[in-house]
Every structure is written in C-alpha cells, then in structure tokens.
Amino acid sequence: MSDYHIKNLEDYSKNYKSSVNNPEKFWAEIAKNNFVWKREWNSVLNWDFNKPEIKWFEGAILNITENCIDRHLDKHANKTAIVFEPNDENEKEKKISYKELYIRVNKMSNVLKSKGVKKGDRVCIYLPMIPELAISVLACARIGAIHSVVFAGFSSTALATRIIDCDCRLVITSDGSFRGNKILDLKAIVDKALDNCPQVSKVLLVNRTKNKISLKKDRDELLAPLLQEAKEECVAEPMQSEDPLFILYTSGSTGKPKGMVHSTAGYMVGAAYTFKNIFQYGDEDIYWCTADIGWVTGHSYIVYGPLLNAATTVMFEGVPSYPDFGRFWKIVEKYRVNQFYTAPTAIRALAKESLDFVNKYNLSSLKVLGSVGEPINEEAWNWYNNHIGKNKCPIVDTWWQTETGSIMISSIPNVIKGKATFATLPFIGIQPVLMDNNGKEILENSVEGRLCVKFPWPSIARTIWGDHQRYKDTYFSTFENHYFTGDGSYRDDQGYYRITGRVDDVIIVSGHNLGTAPIEDAINEHNEVAESAIVGVPHEVKGNSLFGYINLKSKIDPTKQNQLRNEINGLISNQIGPIAKLDQIEFVPGLPKTRSGKIMRRILRKIAHNEVDNLGDVSTLLNPEIVNQIINQIIK
Ligand code: PRX
C-alpha cells in the first residue's frame, strides 16, 4: 500500500487540483496503489448525468473483503480489527484480530452459501450492534451477495417493506437486542414482518440476549451450531467493479423508502480514502464511531473505511446514557480512543448533563473529533471543543449522505482548519456548486443556494433498487447535468460551506433522516383522520422535532384528544418506528391548500415556528380562511 495520506494544506491543494483537472488519472493512481485487484480496469470513468449512468473502474475485478481483511494478514494478523464494547459495562469486551475476523467471516460466508445464497442475492441483516453484524456484512460481500442492513430500531412494517422491495430470501437476526436496561425482542419483530414476506425461506439467528424465542420449523435456525461446523476457508467471489455491494434504504418524498445501491470498487475507494485522510488515522490508533451499522455512517466508517485501512475500530452496543451519561467518555478512557466520531444530537444531549460525567475520565488520548448527520450548532460545537477536545483536538464536521457513500465536505485535521458550524471545504475529488432558484450556478461567495455536485465521485450511489427513473427524478432532474443533494448551503467569503439544512420534504430528527410522506401515510391510516401534514420545528437536543397538523373526519370531544394523540403515535411507531413519533399534535379544522390541492407546508412551517408576520400572500389559496383559524388556535 502506498501512502495516500494528505499531510498539509499544500498537499491538499495539489491533490485537489489534480483530482479536478484530471480526475481519471488521479483516481486511477489512488486505486492502483492502495488496493488489491484481481484484474485492473479498462476505463476509469464513464458517466452521463442525463441518463444518469456512472461507472468507475469498469472491467476491473476484485473482492472488497480481500481488501478489508486478507491483504492485512501478512503484517497485521494479530492486530485488533474490531473491539466490541457490550451494552452492559460489566460484560467483558471482545477483541477480534484480523486473523480471527478472517476466520469468522469465512465461516459465516460458508453458512450463507450452504443455505443457498449466491452472488447477486439480497440478504437482509436486522441485528443489534454486535460483532456478528459486521461479520454478516462482510460475509455477504465475500460471496457477492448484496447486503441490505435494516436498522434494528425500525418496526416490523418498515422491515417488511424493505425486505419486499429488494426481494430478500434470507434474514439474519438475533433473539433480541440490549439497549440500556431494556431488551428489544427482535425475533418477534421479524416474525411479524415475515407474515407479509412469504418469499423469505430462511432466518438465521444469533443468540445474544438469551430470552425465550420460538423457532419456526424449516425456516428458523440458530447460527452458532452452523458456524461451529463451517469451514474456515472461503474463496472470495470475483466481483466486477460495478457489481452492487449493498443496498441501504433512506427516506424520500414518497411513502416508499429509496433503496440506494452502492457499487463495489468505487465505494471501496471512496470509503477508504476519506477515512484515512479525514480522521488522519495513524497505524496504531484506536478509532471509534458511535453510529449504528444500520445507517450509512456505520457502513462506511465503522466497517469498510476502517478495515480497508487495517484500523482498529470500536463497536459499541449500548447507548450514551447507560448506565449513566459518562459512558462515552468511560469508553474513550478504557480503550485510549484517538479518533471519536459522533452526531450533534448526542453531543447536545450530553452537554445538558453535569460536566462531572466528562471530567471523571482521562480523555487525553483523543486527537480528532468528528460530527455527522445534521448541522452542528455553535453551542454544541464549543462544548465539544472545550470539554471533550480540551481545545486541542481538531473537529471535523463531515457533510455527506447515504447517497454519496463517503464524506464530501469536511475540514481535515492539521490540514484544513475547522470553523464552528462550517463543514468547510470540499474533499479531494468533490466539486460542489451552489445553484440559484433559476437553476443557474452561483459563482460568487458569501451567498446561499442549493447544494449540487457537478462531477461524479467514485462512491456515489448508482441507482435506486428497482426504480432508476426515481433516481433520475430525485437527484438529476432538478438541475440539469448536476447531482442535487436536497440540502441548502451557505458559502462564505473564504469558500467554506455551511450546510443550512434540507430544502425538500425530509426532516432530520436526532440525526435520522425522516420523510414527511411515510409519517403522514401512517397517520392517515387512523379511522378518525381525514388528512395530515408534518413539519419540523427546531429542538434543543434533537435538532428538529416533528409537529403534526391533523384534520379529523369529524370533531371529537376535547377530553378524548390525548387518547387520539397516543393512538396516532402508536400507529407511527408500528409503521415506522419510535424515532418518527410526533412531539406535538394539533387537531386543525383544515389544511391550507393551493388551488391545485397541494398542501402549503411552507405556511404550516412558519406557523409552527411562530413566524406569522411574513406568511406572504395567502389570498390565492383554495381556503385562505383556514390560515387564521390555525394561527388563532396555535399561537395563543
Ligand atoms: O441534510 C444533510 C444532513 O444529513 C443528510 C443525509 O442524511 P443521511 O443520508 O441519513 O446520512 C447521514 C450520515 C451521512 C444530508 O443531506 N447532514 C449530514 N451530515 C451533515 C448534515 N448536515 C449538516 N452538517 C453535516 N455535517
């Protein structure tokens, strides 16, 4: 492996220039010198944003797990690949070396093969944050199966939708999941989901919580005995560079989630190169990302990015508040963590607690702090900087998306200085632009616009599973010949980007991307509900909370309203998961609509934000009178 480590600003500028002036040459060199290929590519990049079609390293053959594991065995066989920190701090941690990881992934691969899984098949993984999750992901990749990890906080309905969408035949899950002092019965959730998924013929189960489960004959099998019997060698499947590596669902502007499809080679190059440089990972470092592997952050920066760089990556099963609010910092001290990557919502929640929870622990090992998933406000940034980083750790505020596969805009420790609330500059190879409302690129600085990218990068998602037209409509149709991110951004006089938030129907709550449409669909299933509209309102800890305007079919007795609110939130929990519950529910006599019947969310948003002075002209609405009625009801 060559040294693809960016060392200083000059190095960054030089590399950035080459990546833009001659992207093919630049990425070919990175790819050639830092990965193992079974065969090299015929062409580096073929693309057309109008189709859209994006292909990197076409003709190449590789297996990403050989890059994540096998090639490290010479030098790093005994190095710890994964440190597993259990939910219960009294349970002993587990350290899995690269050699052990190799064996465990191979065994899991052989089990999957023995159950008939073949190259190209989709496998659904619904597991807590235990080593078997990372191992299952890698086992799929080893045999060329496409993994679809579903976050184990999603409900049975949400799980079923995802299983059906990509036609998974096999599900890997566990008896349960520990979260703080609770046990979630994952098996029951899977059973319920599978009532609607007759095509699933096999469920493999990890024993984690040891709570009682029943096994469905012929369908359910415990993994432990199968793994014990399985062989320790499994030849890695030769994969084409553009073969799908995984599908990961993200919310969109309709009720149906979008299964973003990531490729093998491009994704690998993007995840590895960004990990190394944005965290400035050094060979002996201990790196910890607190995300769940159920989200893209976990895919790219717990599993693939770190392992591709032979790093030691910490996997934490629990929650930041258990057994108390010092847990994160206790873990940092315990393993002498060097790079720590988390979400603003966690920072804000912890900043509300006593500093004693922080000051009890020795955090001197920390070198780099990271933030991801939503804009980080100045107060949270300062708290992170002062109390966790002790003013000596650079903070990387990393902007990216499920769709982008890897980090797109970020500072780089000791290379590009961070600036509170700014993601700062584009990473190497990334060409962001701001567009105005007329679809014209804004060239000057100190402006706000819609954030787009004008040139492909290796880890961009290639399509939406089963719906290429939707991929085109969502990302490549708003602005001609550009990838549209759905975010707004400000660019300051130095060219630094500050992400201002979503400009579409997605609301980010506690770092989770939630579409308003699926939540409204869930609410509208209630017998009493005629229609509904969801908007986001700023929230101290969660970033945004959900505010629902609900128009009922008929008036209800005020004493029954709370009961109805609970029923509505219950429906949302069932259909999506508890993360999508509404914080505030207002029963309103109607929703403001345009003459063509479109709900005017902009107005509803302003009312929820208490900004009723500049609602604009409402006289052209179909039902202008409703606006004042809602204002009078809500703003007392
Ligand atoms: O709005 C942006 C926000 O999260 C969205 C992507 O969400 P998701 O696909 O779930 O991926 C999250 C983890 C990469 C973006 O469109 N977002 C992500 N990172 C930042 C951010 N907003 C501001 N600053 C960030 N650093």
Side-chain angles (χ1 to χ4, degrees):
M1 212 158 129
S2 74
D3 184 11
Y4 60 7
H5 190 175
I6 299 160
K7 294 171 199 66
N8 49 44
L9 190 59
E10 205 188 336
D11 214 9
Y12 163 81
S13 306
K14 194 181 89 206
N15 278 295
Y16 187 79
K17 271 195 203 112
S18 350
S19 75
V20 169
N21 293 341
N22 197 341
E24 296 198 22
K25 180 162 177 278
F26 177 82
W27 288 113
E29 262 171 42
I30 295 283
K32 196 180 168 91
N33 297 332
N34 296 287
F35 302 91
V36 291
W37 304 87
K38 291 176 190 289
R39 190 172 84 202
E40 269 188 22
W41 47 89
N42 306 323
S43 59
V44 182
L45 172 65
N46 287 307
W47 69 291
D48 179 351
F49 273 174
N50 291 318
K51 274 188 179 169
E53 184 178 86
I54 301 145
K55 291 184 172 167
W56 283 92
F57 311 114
E58 252 193 311
I61 293 183
L62 73 155
N63 187 290
I64 194 169
T65 67
E66 289 184 331
N67 283 279
C68 286
I69 310 172
D70 305 34
R71 66 165 164 157
H72 304 319
L73 295 180
D74 266 0
K75 277 206 210 135
H76 301 295
N78 297 321
K79 180 175 177 178
T80 301
I82 297 175
V83 178
F84 171 61
E85 170 70 12
N87 174 66
D88 178 354
E89 56 181 355
N90 298 316
E91 184 183 331
K92 184 136 180 56
E93 75 278 359
K94 292 201 178 86
K95 293 189 174 167
I96 301 173
S97 67
Y98 273 91
K99 178 75 204 207
E100 185 186 344
L101 186 63
Y102 173 80
I103 293 171
R104 292 184 66 178
V105 168
N106 281 341
K107 279 175 162 269
M108 185 73 87
S109 304
N110 285 325
V111 169
L112 292 177
K113 275 181 147 177
S114 74
K115 298 298 159 197
V117 179
K118 294 185 302 295
K119 178 174 173 178
D121 289 350
R122 278 77 57 206
V123 170
C124 174
I125 305 175
Y126 187 70
L127 278 173
M129 279 286 286
I130 53 179
E132 287 81 356
L133 172 50
I135 290 167
S136 302
V137 160
L138 293 162
C140 287
R142 186 138 188 112
I143 65 172
I146 303 169
H147 55 81
S148 166
V149 182
V150 177
F151 171 58
F154 274 120
S155 70
S156 56
T157 314
L159 173 62
T161 309
R162 288 157 175 77
I163 290 174
I164 293 166
D165 184 69
C166 65
D167 194 21
C168 297
R169 305 293 166 98
L170 185 142
V171 178
I172 306 177
T173 188
S174 67
D175 49 359
S177 155
F178 291 119
R179 276 190 84 73
N181 53 16
K182 289 197 230 105
I183 294 183
L184 283 179
D185 189 349
L186 293 193
K187 176 65 165 58
I189 298 174
V190 170
D191 282 344
K192 202 163 158 216
L194 295 192
D195 284 345
N196 295 315
C197 309
Q199 76 278 22
V200 172
S201 56
K202 191 55 61 201
V203 176
L204 299 177
L205 284 139
V206 180
N207 257 330
R208 173 62 187 138
T209 54
K210 310 267 189 301
N211 58 320
K212 255 190 106 159
I213 50 167
S214 58
L215 298 183
K216 186 168 170 194
K217 198 165 167 287
D218 297 332
R219 191 195 68 184
D220 302 349
E221 266 184 277
L222 296 180
L223 259 168
L226 298 172
L227 287 167
Q228 193 148 25
E229 292 294 304
K231 289 217 181 76
E232 292 188 358
E233 291 296 329
C234 175
V235 176
E237 186 74 28
M239 303 298 287
Q240 299 280 344
S241 54
E242 283 295 319
D243 279 340
L245 174 65
F246 66 86
I247 299 170
L248 187 59
Y249 286 88
T250 187
S251 308
S253 55
T254 73
K256 202 167 174 239
K258 297 175 292 198
M260 304 313 307
V261 179
H262 280 283
S263 72
T264 300
Y267 174 81
M268 171 180 81
V269 171
Y273 187 57
T274 48
F275 172 79
K276 175 76 182 177
N277 285 300
I278 289 165
F279 298 103
Q280 292 281 302
Y281 183 82
D283 280 349
E284 303 304 320
D285 288 347
I286 309 292
Y287 161 89
W288 179 24
C289 166
T290 71
D292 192 292
I293 295 175
W295 309 113
V296 74
T297 306
H299 281 59
S300 301
Y301 298 111
I302 296 179
V303 181
Y304 288 114
L307 297 179
L308 285 163
N309 286 285
T312 298
T313 173
V314 177
M315 252 183 102
F316 174 44
E317 182 186 32
V319 293
S321 54
Y322 180 78
D324 64 37
F325 288 96
R327 187 69 190 275
F328 272 6
W329 321 125
K330 192 171 189 178
I331 297 173
V332 169
E333 178 183 275
K334 180 173 176 186
Y335 299 113
R336 309 284 304 142
V337 169
N338 303 111
Q339 290 89 0
F340 176 76
Y341 191 28
T342 196
T345 186
I347 300 168
R348 288 191 295 262
L350 295 173
K352 281 177 75 129
E353 304 299 326
S354 161
L355 272 178
D356 294 346
F357 287 120
V358 177
N359 294 336
K360 265 200 338 222
Y361 300 105
N362 179 352
L363 306 182
S364 62
S365 57
L366 288 172
K367 294 196 282 199
V368 175
L369 300 176
S371 170
V372 61
E374 55 182 317
I376 177 165
N377 50 309
E378 190 143 8
E379 216 183 328
W381 195 97
N382 285 332
W383 186 88
Y384 203 24
N385 186 36
N386 295 336
H387 300 295
I388 307 305
K390 319 286 182 200
N391 296 304
K392 71 170 179 60
C393 296
I395 296 180
V396 289
D397 176 0
T398 63
W399 174 82
W400 59 297
Q401 311 178 293
T402 304
E403 295 85 338
T404 69
S406 59
I407 297 169
M408 303 284 283
I409 304 182
S410 175
S411 54
I412 302 179
N414 311 316
V415 175
I416 299 168
K417 205 167 159 6
K419 178 171 174 179
T421 76
F422 282 78
T424 74
L425 293 178
F427 188 65
I428 315 274
I430 308 303
Q431 302 188 40
V433 291
L434 295 182
M435 303 295 248
D436 68 16
N437 289 337
N438 303 319
K440 267 194 68 187
E441 183 178 340
I442 313 173
L443 294 171
E444 58 274 19
N445 282 343
S446 307
V447 282
E448 195 168 338
R450 285 161 191 246
L451 183 61
C452 293
V453 188
K454 68 175 177 194
F455 195 84
W457 60 100
S459 66
I460 183 176
R462 303 298 198 257
T463 188
I464 291 174
W465 184 264
D467 199 347
H468 198 64
Q469 185 62 40
R470 187 175 181 197
Y471 174 71
K472 177 173 177 164
D473 294 345
T474 311
Y475 304 108
F476 299 94
S477 300
T478 316
F479 300 102
E480 203 185 330
N481 220 8
H482 285 76
Y483 167 80
F484 175 44
T485 65
D487 281 330
S489 177
Y490 171 74
R491 187 171 57 214
D492 76 1
D493 52 2
Q494 289 173 278
Y496 280 20
Y497 288 85
R498 170 205 261 158
I499 311 303
T500 47
R502 301 291 308 193
V503 293
D504 56 7
D505 286 341
V506 170
I507 303 173
I508 301 191
V509 179
S510 298
H512 302 314
N513 218 337
L514 299 172
T516 51
I519 305 175
E520 290 163 6
D521 288 353
I523 297 171
N524 298 348
E525 291 213 348
H526 196 289
N527 274 338
E528 309 271 344
V529 173
E531 55 181 355
S532 58
I534 305 294
V535 298
V537 286
H539 184 279
E540 227 193 322
V541 173
K542 301 199 259 186
N544 288 298
S545 67
L546 299 175
F547 185 123
Y549 293 90
I550 298 182
N551 180 16
L552 296 175
K553 286 181 184 153
S554 54
K555 268 205 164 141
I556 63 153
D557 187 326
T559 59
K560 299 216 173 106
Q561 287 193 355
N562 275 343
Q563 160 75 15
L564 187 54
R565 288 190 174 97
N566 290 339
E567 286 172 16
I568 287 169
N569 264 333
L571 264 175
I572 297 174
S573 263
N574 268 331
Q575 299 281 318
I576 301 161
I579 46 175
K581 278 194 196 170
L582 308 184
D583 273 20
Q584 197 173 339
I585 295 179
E586 288 289 339
F587 298 114
V588 292
L591 299 172
K593 289 187 184 155
T594 61
R595 283 179 194 276
S596 59
K598 203 167 168 283
I599 298 173
M600 288 296 285
R601 284 164 214 283
R602 185 179 57 77
I603 292 177
L604 294 171
R605 210 173 289 129
K606 288 208 162 149
I607 300 175
H609 291 197
N610 212 341
E611 293 167 6
V612 289
D613 292 340
N614 58 346
L615 286 183
D617 181 13
V618 297
S619 65
T620 55
L621 293 179
L622 184 70
N623 49 356
E625 71 292 345
I626 213 78
V627 176
N628 270 334
Q629 290 177 27
I630 297 180
I631 293 176
N632 290 337
Q633 178 183 330
I634 291 173
I635 303 176
K636 285 152 192 142

